[in-house]
Amino acid sequence: MLSKCKMPIAHEVMVGLDDEAAKVIERLIWGPEQVEIVPIVGMAGLGKTTLAKKVYNDSSVICNFHTRLWCTVSQEFNMKSLLIQILCPDAKHSRVDDEFQNLDEHVLLEMLHKKLMKNRYLVVFDDVWDIGAWHELGIAFPNDKNGSRIIFTSRSSNVASQVQYGGEPHYLRPLSEKESFELLQKKVFGKEDCPQALHGLGMEIAKKCRGLPLALVVVAGVLATIEHDICVWEEFAESLTSTMVSGTDQCKKSLELSYEHLPYHLKACLLYFAAFREDEKIGAKNLMRLWIAEGFVEKVEGKRSEDTAEEYLMDLIGRNLVMASESRSIGGVKTCYIHDLIFEFCKTEAKAKNFLQVLRGYDELSTFNVPPYLHRLSICSSGEDFIKSKLFCPHLGTLLFFDATPGDEFELRNISFLFCIYKHLEVLNLEDINLRLKELPTEVESLLCLRYLALKGRTMEFIPPSIAKLSHLETFILNSCMTVSLPDSIWNMKNLRHVYVRGDVAIGLSSNDNNVVENLSNLDTLSTLCIYFDQGGENILRRIPNVRRLKIFCLALNALNRACRNMSQLECLESLTLGSFNFSGSREHVELSFPMNLKKLCLSYLGLPCRKMSLIEQLPNLEVLKLRVQSMEGQKWELMEGGFPKLRVLTLSELDFVEWTETDPHSDDYFPCLQQLKLLKNSNLEMVPACLGRISTLETIKVRFCRDGVDSLVRKIEEAQKNYGNENLKVIIIG
Ligand SMILES: Nc1ncnc2c1ncn2[C@@H]1O[C@H](COP(=O)(O)OP(=O)(O)O)[C@@H](O)[C@H]1O
Ligand SMILES: [Mg+2]
């Protein structure tokens, strides 16, 4: 394992993009009233996506457009999933996509048209390979002559030259030698200078990357981890020499080298990316659970495997082989992806090393000769083709299926035969196939080695008691729309760590027998636990003493009461999401006691009286607070002095309060760490606390769909912050 000091440094450094960005921004904001496509063109790894992102997130661009949308097209695109991606960017993580899935392409096109109409829009199509997509999509983009813009990024300048609205390509230039060295040195040494003795070699290495940022950052990832010694660098510079001359080949060479320098466990983790779809944003938590189930993550005494896995991910990110896409409000990476050149490399290498077989489409599936040693298989095809292919590989340890046409849902009414074939599976992901069953077949018990199981069954309500035979199971993911009842027998599944039911569905854990004292002391994540009755919730919480992330949905006021009262016993709990129905009845008597270690708290429909907010304000470790729809009740929320000592992120959405004040407007003892404030649809709000104008840590304030009055209050805060010397505060007001 890497020692701490050798951990590569991950800096968000950008080099030489300011002038390029300024040119593109100028074309977005100025220029013709007509819709115009601004193509950003250049070879793979040159920084097109990076430039497009920089421009997309520039505050002058944000303020100039009413609607901004982003979608990644990539080589194998599918029109419907593209449309869903544009219309519903969080589709994978919410249930909105269910509604969209069943809609016809034309309906989706029309929805998009409606969404864009009369709005000044900016839509980015990242990585367009051929113009076919645009011919079909184009009709959804109205030309209201209001300065709307479309950005294409592409490797080919042809894609946008002959189409309607097509504008002059913006050819992205490679970095100069000076910039190349600057990027390399910043990535390797951070803020420190490159030691004089390594300067020349650094220059030489930078030059060999031919101005390609991807090659540079990957090479820097290696240099940061090897010894900073002339001989070692000399050797590395030599190995980088490629007889081939094209930039792409140079990139490949640097990738190979970087891969060779990876420690063994990270090689497996990186190659595993080949199992996913190209350009897919991969949920980091899930990826890490897969690594653990695969046995890639070293077990360290006294350390949670998830923490070790996270170090691996951060290491790969530090080496610039994996890119973080979104981060979590609570810190850490939420989604990540790899560059398509790295993806290609992983695919080839994984196959060559018999690490993983990837099959795409019916042709590859139907002609595939299953080798006897095949251990891991990832299939990306239509569900129909996968089932039709009847692949027989009884020794398979890992089977991952990904739908190549996510727009058309494939349904299966019988899964038992699969369970009976693949008896040695340790990892099974069939989340892209909808099992049209009310109950998971008992044959699941055949999969005795299973450690990771992810399924989708929108109508699934029951899990059979036989599931407890899967005594190695660590992760159980089920995407259902129903309330799923887990059997009592799960209390015997001692290795269970993550139980995750997607959507706003709930898990009903029946536990009638109060004498049973079985605990799931390893359980780390439980989402979403549904509590109906007075006692149920209490009993369940007692049996998951070490849970760290918990989502609860209460169906009755009594249940809420009892759950809240017992919450503080969960000493490991770091993240809690608590929701309930919008049921009537006073919450005056809800006895709240949150665990002291809580770092993140999300509430909705809780109807907490404002004056009880101090219970939350006092939490010593709270970093993220999201108060959503009707989670707080009352007209006036007065902040207590010394409250929220560690709060970084605060979201207030759809609350009815009118006055938001502080006990002493002259005191600075409020929110000493606040970085982000989001105000969303707080339609009655008339007053915000003055202290907001003086919090030096504040980075962004986002206001969406609040009264005009709120907008001007926020502008005043911005002014106060400026006078106070905080020039970097970003204020974004929309709607
Ligand atoms: N100007 C730059 N400064 C620093 N890093 C960059 C720059 N441009 C690109 N990169 C890095 O290079 C890699 C490839 O960039 P990307 O934008 O994905 O390339 P493309 O989309 O052209 O294939 C990414 O890791 C990115 O962070
Ligand atoms: Mg790109």
Side-chain angles (χ1 to χ4, degrees), residues 336-531:
C336 59
Y337 67 105
I338 55 174
H339 192 273
D340 27 8
L341 282 186
I342 303 183
F343 180 71
E344 285 304 322
F345 170 84
C346 289
K347 249 175 32 182
T348 317
E349 185 71 17
K351 191 173 173 190
K353 295 273 156 66
N354 288 326
F355 172 82
L356 165 80
Q357 179 70 51
V358 183
L359 298 177
R360 267 155 230 273
Y362 189 65
D363 288 347
E364 284 187 26
L365 269 169
S366 56
T367 53
F368 182 59
N369 282 326
V370 184
Y373 47 77
L374 187 66
H375 187 63
R376 292 192 192 91
L377 183 59
S378 166
I379 294 173
C380 180
S381 71
S382 74
E384 248 160 345
D385 289 346
F386 163 52
I387 298 299
K388 247 195 320 195
S389 68
K390 294 216 166 62
L391 283 182
F392 187 72
C393 9
H395 298 291
L396 205 60
T398 296
L399 177 61
L400 307 166
F401 172 78
F402 298 99
D403 196 346
T405 53
D408 315 306
E409 185 168 270
F410 178 70
E411 293 192 335
L412 203 58
R413 286 161 198 264
N414 176 12
I415 185 83
S416 310
F417 67 101
L418 275 182
F419 291 163
C420 294
I421 297 175
Y422 301 109
K423 286 192 173 158
H424 293 280
L425 282 182
E426 290 163 7
V427 172
L428 176 61
N429 172 27
L430 288 181
E431 239 189 313
D432 278 357
I433 290 181
N434 184 30
L435 305 178
R436 212 168 154 178
L437 301 166
K438 239 181 153 159
E439 178 162 2
L440 186 67
T442 51
E443 283 83 354
V444 72
E445 69 183 34
S446 334
L447 305 173
L448 285 175
C449 312
L450 216 54
R451 297 211 266 185
Y452 178 103
L453 176 62
L455 299 171
K456 174 161 79 180
R458 293 188 194 282
T459 51
M460 198 168 286
E461 288 178 80
F462 302 104
I463 304 298
S466 61
I467 191 137
K469 294 204 178 148
L470 312 184
S471 60
H472 299 287
L473 198 67
E474 293 163 359
T475 301
F476 177 61
I477 297 172
L478 178 61
N479 188 346
S480 169
C481 302
M482 313 298 281
T483 301
V484 180
S485 310
L486 289 185
D488 277 357
S489 59
I490 69 143
W491 297 111
N492 298 320
M493 299 176 73
K494 296 296 174 205
N495 283 310
L496 214 49
R497 279 189 73 70
H498 308 284
V499 172
Y500 190 63
V501 177
R502 264 197 197 129
D504 51 29
V505 284
I507 311 170
L509 290 179
S510 64
S511 55
N512 302 326
D513 185 0
N514 287 330
N515 298 324
V516 184
V517 281
E518 296 286 356
N519 278 355
L520 285 183
S521 55
N522 270 319
L523 199 73
D524 182 276
T525 315
L526 179 54
S527 163
T528 305
L529 173 66
C530 176
I531 303 182

Side-chain angles (χ1 to χ4, degrees), residues 110-127:
E110 201 159 319
M111 284 171 76
L112 180 59
H113 189 260
K114 253 200 196 136
K115 191 175 173 127
L116 299 178
M117 202 132 99
K118 303 268 183 301
N119 275 323
R120 191 183 311 131
Y121 59 82
L122 169 66
V123 183
V124 179
F125 288 92
D126 189 27
D127 216 5

Side-chain angles (χ1 to χ4, degrees), residues 13-15 17 43-50 183 213-214 323 339:
V13 278
M14 298 262 181
V15 166
L17 271 185
M43 65 189 295
L46 196 59
K48 301 179 293 296
T49 304
T50 310
L183 178 54
L214 180 65
M323 288 184 264
H339 192 273

Side-chain angles (χ1 to χ4, degrees), residues 70-185:
W70 179 287
C71 70
T72 307
V73 187
S74 84
Q75 211 161 342
E76 294 168 26
F77 74 92
N78 162 280
M79 183 59 76
K80 195 163 168 184
S81 52
L82 204 63
L83 280 163
I84 294 176
Q85 207 193 123
I86 306 176
L87 283 166
C88 174
D90 299 322
K92 250 206 127 172
H93 304 289
S94 71
R95 260 181 59 194
V96 197
D97 66 327
D98 291 1
E99 295 156 29
F100 285 85
Q101 291 255 334
N102 303 321
L103 296 176
D104 191 66
E105 225 170 83
H106 296 285
V107 180
L108 290 171
L109 275 170
E110 201 159 319
M111 284 171 76
L112 180 59
H113 189 260
K114 253 200 196 136
K115 191 175 173 127
L116 299 178
M117 202 132 99
K118 303 268 183 301
N119 275 323
R120 191 183 311 131
Y121 59 82
L122 169 66
V123 183
V124 179
F125 288 92
D126 189 27
D127 216 5
V128 179
W129 282 73
D130 77 83
I131 204 61
W134 179 246
H135 285 317
E136 286 179 59
L137 268 173
I139 52 164
F141 290 76
N143 183 7
D144 290 327
K145 304 214 167 57
N146 57 5
S148 291
R149 295 286 182 268
I150 296 160
I151 292 181
F152 277 11
T153 79
S154 181
R155 285 167 208 200
S156 141
S157 56
N158 294 333
V159 293
S161 54
Q162 290 134 17
V163 292
Q164 198 188 4
Y165 310 147
E168 271 299 299
H170 175 94
Y171 293 101
L172 185 56
R173 61 176 176 86
L175 297 182
S176 67
E177 282 179 12
K178 193 164 160 260
E179 288 165 336
S180 298
F181 179 69
E182 188 188 338
L183 178 54
L184 194 78
Q185 106 130 27

Side-chain angles (χ1 to χ4, degrees), residues 22-36:
K23 280 185 213 154
V24 176
I25 291 172
E26 166 143 1
R27 284 181 63 180
L28 297 182
I29 297 181
W30 306 106
E33 304 264 87
Q34 286 257 20
V35 182
E36 192 189 35

